[in-house]
Amino acid sequence: MNEHENDELATRLTRTLTDQADVMAGSSLALATVQGRARRIRRRRAATAVVAAAAAVAVVVPTVALASHTGGRPEPAPATQTPSRTLTTTDPAQPKAGVLDVSDLPTGAPPALEYLRSGRLHFIDGGSGTVNTQHTPVAFLDMYDGSRVWQTSQGSASYIEIQDTDGTFHEPVRTSLGLRTNPGHTIAAWLTTSGQVVVWEAGATDPRPLGDPVPGSELTLGAVSGNDCSLACTVYVNTADAQGNLQPWEVTDSGSQPARDGSYLTVADVASNGLTIGLDKISDSGSCSKLLGGGEFQGFSTCRNTLVSFSPDGRLVLADPAYHDGIGNGEIAMYRTDGGDPLFQRHSTESAQSFYPEARWEDATHVLAPVFQDGQWSIVRIGSDGSMEYAVAPVPGTDANSPFVLATGGTAYGD
Amino acid sequence: MKPHRSRSLPVAALALALLAAPGTTAYAVERPHTHDEYVARTADATAPGPLPVSGLPVGDPPKIAFAFASKPEFGGGNWRLHRPDGSTLRLTRLTWSTWAPMGDGAIGMAGTEAGPELQRVTGTGRVHTRIVAHFGLAVSPDHEIVGWLGDHGAPHVVEGGGARHLTLPPVPHGRTVATIQGTATCEAQTPEGGGCTVFVNGARRVRVSTSHGIVDTIGPMPEVSDVNQHGRVTGLVSRRTPDSRACWGVLRAGGHRVFRTCDYYLASFSPAGRRVLAERSQVRWASVRRFAVLARDGRVVRSWTFDPGARRSLSQLTWEDDRHLLGVLRAHGRWGLVRIGTDGTVEYAGDPVATTDELTPYSLPLR
Amino acid sequence: MDPTPEHQTGTTAVADRRQTRDADFAAYLAARQPSLLRTAYLLTGNRHDAEDLVQNAFAKLYLSWDKVRNQGSIDGYVRRILVNEHNSLWRRAWKKREHIADDETLHRLDRPHHDAQHDGVDAALWDVVQTLPRKARAVVVLRYYEEMSEAETAAVLGISVGTVKSQTSRALATLRDRTPQTLNPRSREEDDLS
């Protein structure tokens, strides 16, 4: 190929590209638009490595599943458990080690997750806005691209309402309760009332079914792994049959099948590094959970807590009580993925009767949880050293109705 | 590959016509009866429908040869020829843009940094390469003759499974071979049979070089894309102007224009020469957005639209037989060969592969 | 009592600095966005993605404006963000909204190019550019549209000059290969009109 020929082609190329680029004449970006985008990027960066647990939305769901297998017999509150050694600082502002007492905490920064408060959406920069879903919002998911997936309800019916990046809503679709996302927040997953997993990917026009409907009478979403369902993604669905036997299922584009690997009873979460946590055993008085990896990773199991969700970088595991009663969780703990004793445990006591519906990872070492104690709800930030502070100061409320709903999965992991 | 029944008459007719009146342009455009008559024939009877690409069933593998690389590269890859009988042959390391099966092996042209390189791979895996002067490869309808443009505009052909290599009279101002008409062999036999005609596109003219030793200009179309066994060509009838698109048409050997269309570029005839593949873009490797199969009178048999995207494309459309096209489809996280029937059926031709690569692992031959 | 400048509260001073900073940035945005939008279009092939890409690039520039504005090589920096953003969206494999036969491309198909001299060769050339792998396409756009040198292109893409060279020549070979009707200079001068 001689130089002359290349020069000739080069000239043609330059002309062709210049002509084609004229298409953009007339496009223009306003400063405000750029600033808005910058704010969004800054939020994502501030919450870097946040992958919330994405636990099932309603507090009722996991406990119903468990209670039905334990005969529903309540146990006394675990007040007699000795608090484990913790790394809690000796800061006098902190409550007594091992106790989940949120009555008088120092106030820290506001949540780095979006949250609903009495139906109003609060943004990370402190602003707030109205929610224009058709039905009542019960949960929401911030997708990587700024779109949102809302779970809403009307009476006993649940819906999914997708909100595009420009704020417009898709028509509500009828679903069952439950909403999950993958660590990168590029995939949202839910179940139809007939057990069909549906996924929606940020930027797609419409949601689409994944795999085949999962059989079983009680289905709850477990975890979503993968980045892109058009390549490969897996949604875990936890099921129970009429006899009460638990079996997680794997749902992918190729179909749906029981997830036998690891012999879990339920799959709670899958980290982006492949570690998996879930229930291993269930008894009348409690349960055991285990963490498994692959290859030489040993994992661990514990009967002291239920392992709930991985931290964004997959190094820590959030845990709650080994036995769930119907009100809420009276205990919170964190483990390292290499096992052993928990980093800390905090549990409610007779004098500090507190509970929380669910906690979500805010960043690599902190979770946020709406906590109820003494007629008040607050959003509490709990660090991996067990220290606590208010992210949102207490407001009056009743135990049955939390005014706070934290974003499912928080903001997207990474940038 | 079973050769088609010898169709010597059209070639002879062309040869005779040229001999009888040297300098006559054999494909002169006949004045249409009415302007509307010809154009109307190509209007879509029904609007084109979107090509379905979701949940496609998997059908039989292709009936023609194809190439596949599990690790494609830009300008390389581990390409293998897959023959219709299921056997495979390792191809050279270079990506072939244009190629065709030849004998037990294949012949193709690759764009290398040194220029166009012709590569022939025999059934035993032996590779012959040479740098040639011009890009462009053409295959006769029966797959027996492959040609390219060599130095000084002389068309070269390889036939007999690679056993014979002939040079035809040089064509002035030629840029690339467009197509070849001929059956089994270019070697001139009796005046009534054999021989071949190579069509060469230049900047403004099309010229032919025949194995009978004739070189002539045919026109007025500036470009042809294909010729069938009956001697009909698909050609550019009028260039794009500020007010109108380019129009392509089918012209008979006698010179009469059968029809023209301003909606499509006419890419190729079907193997039996009765149907025409029509596309919007002239670039085989760009994703189609709209394409159609036309009957020989220009009527639209079926037309489709396709929405390309960041990871969605349909390209390299090639005839499998007179009722089916094959294409390379990327959709839903998979690359696969797709079979599109003129009856509207769509299926994968063999299992697709799941891959994240932007480089296609499939390559379809020119024919 | 009005605060004199030296008694301005911290908040006011911050607000003033921010205003100047925004004014600077707005000026850069206004001056540079037309060419960046064009480059983005050549990289992405469609208008919506191009606008989105440029928004992201300028947003990231805005976030690091304080660090970058005095360095004098903002153009190169923002082009680097643009190309990396385009590649990283790809790597992360998340799908942007698919486009139904992009509006302006349909228009291009339906309305002939205004410059009739090019005879559709340029349309074919653009089609083939869009079939190039991303890295090669970025090299072609930077070398032949932005007309950057090999060294500048290497710096923006974060690759070696050698890779720029080989990507360029491979891209040109592919362009010729896939559009055999492209000019062949040997026949051009002699081209006849007979």
Side-chain angles (χ1 to χ4, degrees):
Chain A
M1 194 80 69
N2 65 41
E3 282 301 314
H4 185 51
E5 286 170 348
N6 273 348
D7 288 346
E8 182 65 56
L9 182 52
T11 311
R12 265 225 108 83
L13 253 184
T14 303
R15 188 166 59 201
T16 301
L17 295 175
T18 306
D19 284 347
Q20 289 298 329
D22 275 349
V23 153
M24 295 309 282
S27 265
S28 74
L29 289 177
L31 177 64
T33 316
V34 171
Q35 287 170 323
R37 183 68 66 97
R39 274 197 291 275
R40 270 218 290 255
I41 293 173
R42 189 193 286 127
R43 278 211 307 275
R44 287 207 299 268
R45 288 180 181 170
T48 193
V50 171
V51 172
V57 169
V59 68
V60 159
V61 180
T63 55
V64 162
L66 196 51
S68 69
H69 305 291
T70 58
R73 272 182 283 131
E75 285 253 326
T80 53
Q81 275 191 1
T82 49
S84 66
R85 66 181 163 77
T86 71
L87 303 172
T88 313
T89 65
T90 51
D91 183 346
Q94 287 293 304
K96 190 164 161 213
V99 179
L100 186 63
D101 180 353
V102 301
S103 56
D104 185 18
L105 299 178
T107 302
L113 297 182
E114 293 190 340
Y115 64 96
L116 285 174
R117 175 175 165 170
S118 304
R120 198 170 168 80
L121 183 61
H122 287 253
F123 310 121
I124 292 173
D125 62 11
S128 65
T130 54
V131 176
N132 296 319
T133 51
Q134 276 192 32
H135 305 293
T136 311
V138 296
F140 68 98
L141 173 50
D142 281 320
M143 301 293 280
Y144 176 72
D145 66 341
S147 59
R148 288 195 187 89
V149 179
W150 293 90
Q151 180 133 71
T152 61
S153 72
Q154 199 74 43
S156 59
S158 303
Y159 299 87
I160 287 286
E161 299 184 47
I162 296 172
Q163 183 180 22
D164 287 326
T165 52
D166 62 2
T168 58
F169 281 90
H170 296 210
E171 276 304 299
V173 289
R174 186 79 205 279
T175 63
S176 41
L177 204 56
L179 181 61
R180 285 270 179 166
T181 187
N182 61 330
H185 289 234
T186 55
I187 305 166
W190 59 87
L191 284 163
T192 67
T193 50
S194 49
Q196 173 67 54
V197 171
V198 178
V199 292
W200 184 71
E201 296 177 82
T205 313
D206 290 308
R208 66 177 181 89
L210 187 75
D212 310 309
V214 176
S217 50
E218 284 173 44
L219 303 185
T220 58
L221 287 167
V224 180
S225 73
N227 285 320
D228 183 333
C229 285
S230 69
L231 300 175
C233 73
T234 305
V235 176
Y236 291 89
V237 178
N238 296 316
T239 77
D241 65 15
Q243 287 74 42
N245 300 310
L246 298 179
Q247 175 63 55
W249 279 64
E250 288 171 336
V251 178
T252 64
D253 240 342
S254 321
S256 307
Q257 62 187 26
R260 307 258 182 237
D261 190 33
S263 304
Y264 290 96
L265 295 176
T266 64
V267 168
D269 200 8
V270 178
S272 47
N273 53 17
L275 301 181
T276 307
I277 48 180
L279 282 177
D280 186 30
K281 284 200 261 296
I282 289 187
S283 71
D284 284 347
S285 54
S287 68
C288 301
S289 290
K290 66 185 172 190
L291 178 147
L292 294 176
E296 288 163 9
F297 190 85
Q298 291 293 341
F300 69 92
S301 106
T302 176
C303 304
R304 289 156 89 170
N305 293 107
T306 300
L307 299 178
V308 174
S309 62
F310 286 101
S311 63
D313 58 9
R315 290 206 196 146
L316 301 180
V317 181
L318 172 70
D320 61 20
Y323 179 87
H324 293 134
D325 69 17
I327 294 174
N329 297 308
E331 178 170 338
I332 189 165
M334 271 191 209
Y335 288 76
R336 277 199 306 269
T337 52
D338 53 10
D341 291 328
L343 291 168
F344 75 88
Q345 276 177 323
R346 283 192 180 276
H347 58 87
S348 63
T349 61
E350 292 233 21
S351 50
Q353 293 190 15
S354 57
F355 71 89
Y356 65 98
E358 64 223 330
R360 298 261 153 87
W361 285 96
E362 183 187 36
D363 61 37
T365 52
H366 295 89
V367 296
L368 292 174
V371 184
F372 181 83
Q373 185 173 343
D374 294 330
Q376 293 189 310
W377 283 96
S378 57
I379 296 184
V380 175
R381 174 178 293 114
I382 305 165
S384 56
D385 61 355
S387 60
M388 299 196 292
E389 60 186 16
Y390 294 129
V392 176
V395 295
T398 64
D399 60 5
N401 291 304
S402 167
F404 297 117
V405 176
L406 292 166
T408 301
T411 51
Y413 172 52
D415 193 76
Chain B
M1 182 78 55
K2 199 172 88 165
H4 292 277
R5 194 155 51 89
S6 179
R7 295 259 181 197
S8 54
L9 193 53
V11 176
L14 167 61
L16 284 172
L18 291 171
L19 284 170
T24 306
T25 54
Y27 284 81
V29 173
E30 179 192 73
R31 282 203 82 67
H33 296 118
T34 62
H35 171 87
D36 294 334
E37 182 186 348
Y38 284 90
V39 178
R41 279 193 189 152
T42 68
D44 283 284
T46 56
L51 184 80
V53 297
S54 297
L56 295 180
V58 177
D60 292 332
K63 296 185 189 64
I64 64 173
F66 66 94
F68 175 77
S70 59
K71 294 186 184 58
E73 294 162 20
F74 181 39
N78 58 341
W79 293 90
R80 287 193 86 88
L81 174 73
H82 287 246
R83 302 191 190 90
D85 66 6
S87 59
T88 70
L89 174 71
R90 200 175 145 269
L91 298 174
T92 66
R93 57 182 175 78
L94 292 175
T95 308
W96 287 357
S97 285
T98 43
W99 63 280
M102 163 148 278
D104 282 338
I107 185 166
M109 187 167 281
T112 72
E113 288 151 39
E117 184 172 277
L118 191 73
Q119 300 163 0
R120 190 163 63 78
V121 183
T122 69
T124 56
R126 188 135 170 262
V127 177
H128 307 264
T129 68
R130 61 195 281 178
I131 298 287
V132 299
H134 299 267
F135 281 103
L137 201 67
V139 188
S140 63
D142 68 352
H143 292 80
E144 293 292 317
I145 310 164
V146 173
W148 66 94
L149 199 65
D151 292 334
H152 315 298
H156 291 239
V157 299
V158 168
E159 55 178 46
R164 286 184 301 282
H165 176 181
L166 310 171
T167 310
L168 271 61
V171 163
H173 318 299
R175 282 195 201 161
T176 185
V177 289
T179 187
I180 296 177
Q181 188 196 17
T183 307
T185 174
C186 280
E187 284 181 334
Q189 293 158 17
T190 67
E192 286 78 36
C196 69
T197 302
V198 177
F199 292 72
V200 178
N201 286 329
R204 293 177 204 285
R205 293 285 177 267
V206 181
R207 290 182 174 83
V208 295
S209 175
T210 77
S211 54
H212 290 86
I214 292 165
V215 172
D216 201 2
T217 304
I218 62 172
M221 64 276 187
E223 190 179 329
V224 300
S225 56
D226 199 10
V227 64
N228 72 1
Q229 304 87 329
H230 315 293
R232 295 191 185 192
V233 294
T234 47
L236 174 67
V237 163
S238 58
R239 291 188 190 277
R240 186 152 54 175
T241 71
D243 305 310
S244 61
R245 289 201 196 109
C247 303
W248 283 73
V250 167
L251 299 98
R252 286 199 282 260
H256 306 295
R257 192 172 72 200
V258 178
F259 71 88
R260 74 179 169 108
T261 172
C262 305
D263 290 332
Y264 296 103
Y265 151 69
L266 300 181
S268 57
F269 285 101
S270 64
R274 291 199 181 85
R275 297 262 165 95
V276 180
L277 170 62
E279 301 183 39
R280 274 289 162 89
S281 168
Q282 272 187 259
V283 175
R284 191 173 151 75
W285 296 271
S287 180
V288 294
R289 290 178 186 272
R290 187 166 152 176
F291 62 104
V293 171
L294 310 184
R296 38 185 178 178
D297 59 356
R299 183 179 44 88
V300 175
V301 172
R302 195 169 292 268
S303 56
W304 298 267
T305 57
F306 177 85
D307 303 330
R311 282 187 298 284
R312 237 176 103 90
S313 64
L314 175 63
S315 57
Q316 300 185 53
L317 290 177
T318 307
W319 288 101
E320 183 182 40
D321 57 39
D322 259 54
R323 285 168 299 109
H324 298 95
L325 291 165
L326 291 174
V328 178
L329 174 70
R330 185 183 192 196
H332 302 309
R334 296 181 184 85
W335 283 98
L337 292 176
V338 67
R339 175 179 291 115
I340 302 164
T342 53
D343 58 358
T345 55
V346 185
E347 61 180 14
Y348 279 114
D351 289 306
V353 296
T355 171
T356 59
D357 215 286
E358 58 176 329
L359 296 169
T360 174
Y362 288 100
S363 179
L364 286 170
L366 288 175
R367 285 198 208 273
Chain C
M1 174 172 59
D2 294 333
T4 55
E6 52 268 28
H7 294 306
Q8 270 183 344
T9 63
T11 334
T12 320
V14 166
D16 278 353
R17 275 200 298 277
R18 188 166 165 189
Q19 225 171 353
T20 318
R21 175 195 187 283
D22 279 2
D24 272 0
F25 180 82
Y28 183 81
L29 177 70
R32 284 291 181 264
Q33 64 161 282
S35 83
L36 212 62
L37 283 165
R38 289 170 144 84
T39 302
Y41 175 75
L42 294 173
L43 289 176
T44 61
N46 80 80
R47 200 180 162 127
H48 181 279
D49 283 352
E51 285 172 355
D52 198 72
L53 193 66
V54 174
Q55 250 192 58
N56 259 15
F58 273 116
K60 291 190 171 181
L61 178 67
Y62 184 70
L63 290 172
S64 51
W65 184 245
D66 288 329
K67 285 195 289 277
V68 173
R69 70 207 270 213
N70 296 322
Q71 283 176 18
S73 59
I74 305 177
D75 283 353
Y77 179 74
V78 77
R79 258 156 196 75
R80 183 149 196 182
I81 299 178
L82 190 77
V83 174
N84 285 342
E85 188 69 17
H86 187 228
N87 285 343
S88 84
L89 281 177
W90 173 258
R91 270 204 302 273
R92 221 186 313 281
W94 78 271
K95 218 167 22 175
K96 295 210 62 103
R97 182 179 295 274
E98 300 290 7
H99 293 285
I100 308 230
D102 210 43
D103 280 348
E104 79 272 6
T105 322
L106 262 185
H107 289 148
R108 182 169 67 78
L109 291 171
D110 292 336
R111 219 184 341 105
H113 199 277
H114 60 272
D115 190 347
Q117 283 174 18
H118 299 315
D119 287 340
V121 171
D122 283 355
L125 200 51
W126 172 236
D127 280 348
V128 182
V129 167
Q130 294 185 84
T131 69
L132 294 174
R134 292 203 166 212
K135 196 191 293 184
R137 182 173 177 171
V139 167
V140 164
V141 170
L142 293 180
R143 294 276 288 127
Y144 297 105
Y145 174 66
E146 298 267 9
E147 298 192 287
M148 289 185 176
S149 68
E150 285 176 347
E152 289 168 333
T153 304
V156 168
L157 295 178
I159 57 182
S160 70
V161 170
T163 307
V164 170
K165 280 188 209 283
S166 68
Q167 289 283 316
T168 305
S169 62
R170 205 166 286 180
L172 293 182
T174 304
L175 293 177
R176 286 186 178 282
D177 192 10
R178 293 180 173 180
T179 54
Q181 288 298 96
T182 316
L183 278 176
N184 183 334
R186 273 184 239 159
S187 52
R188 196 187 189 195
E189 307 90 38
E190 319 151 30
D191 211 22
D192 63 326
L193 297 166
S194 58

